[in-house]
Every structure is written in C-alpha cells, then in structure tokens.
Amino acid sequence: MDTGVKRIGPAGAETGGADSTVWGTPDDDHPFLAWGQRAALLKGARHPAAAKSYLNWLLTPEWQGAGQHGWGARTDVTPTGTGVWDLPNAHSADFVAFMADRAAVKRWRQTMVRYFGEADSPPTPGWLGLAPTVHV
C-alpha cells in the first residue's frame, strides 16, 4: 500500500538494496559533496591479522568490481558506473576540509533534520558490534 511516504537518503552508496531503490547524482551544473569511503588498520588493533584480512578482501578486484559498495578505489578495475572521482561537480577533494569544520557539519545536519525530519527507523536486529554509538 502506497501511503505517500517515501524513504530518502540524502547520502549513501549502492548497496544492492531493493529493486525500487533509485540512485542518482545531480546534473553537471549542480555541485554536491561526495567522497570515497575510508578504511584503515588502527595501531593497537585487538586482532590486526583479521583487520588486514578484511582490508585485503575489500580491495580485491572481485569486490571492487562488484559495484555493491559504491565507487571503487582501484584504478585497475573497471567501475560499474561513473566513479565519484570522475564527476566534475562532486567536489570530492573538498570532503576533508568540510568534515574538519564541525560547526558547518552540525549546521548541515540541522538543515537536513529541518527539511526531512529526524532519521526514524526500527533498530537494527542482532549484534551491534563492540562499541555501538548513540547519536543525539
């Protein structure tokens, strides 16, 4: 039943979701901020071998070419679509500076809440990890 309510995600990447999911980026003349996801092996990790295995898996040609995670990081794997680095209006190099300005990030969050409302969804079932966070 269509209640007239639509789910939105002002940010995200293709994750192999439902067939009704539509992913899009603004036209060339509309700027937006996009970024590649980051991963790292932290010094003092409890299980460094497992962390290395996970990072190695993330960077395999098979996973990078599957397109189930957004834009790939490898230049030797054919992307499944246009990569974030190839979109002239994505301003991906500006991400670090944007995130460093925490006051601006807070203002953008407040703007999104004003227009779209607070994120509202049922809790994720199952194990939440070693240190689940609570966003206020």
Side-chain angles (χ1 to χ4, degrees):
M1 178 172 131
D2 186 356
T3 62
V5 175
K6 303 292 183 190
R7 292 182 180 170
I8 63 165
E14 182 180 350
T15 57
D19 292 336
S20 63
T21 301
V22 176
W23 297 98
T25 55
D27 294 331
D28 290 339
D29 58 344
H30 290 87
F32 67 101
L33 187 61
W35 58 92
Q37 295 299 318
R38 287 130 194 256
L41 174 58
L42 302 178
K43 182 178 180 179
R46 184 178 293 179
H47 301 288
K52 286 178 188 177
S53 294
Y54 175 68
L55 291 176
N56 284 334
W57 172 74
L58 281 178
L59 293 171
T60 62
E62 296 78 20
W63 179 248
Q64 291 286 303
Q68 297 299 314
H69 57 285
W71 297 294
R74 293 180 63 135
T75 59
D76 63 334
V77 175
T78 303
T80 57
T82 303
V84 66
W85 319 116
D86 299 322
L87 298 170
N89 57 329
H91 298 280
S92 55
D94 297 333
F95 175 69
V96 174
F98 171 75
M99 290 302 291
D101 185 348
R102 300 312 299 167
V105 170
K106 186 174 182 176
R107 283 191 306 275
W108 273 108
R109 182 194 180 281
Q110 290 169 339
T111 300
M112 296 296 114
V113 169
R114 178 178 175 203
Y115 285 104
F116 304 120
E118 286 285 351
D120 182 23
S121 62
T124 304
W127 186 62
L128 297 178
L130 294 175
T133 60
V134 176
H135 298 281
V136 290

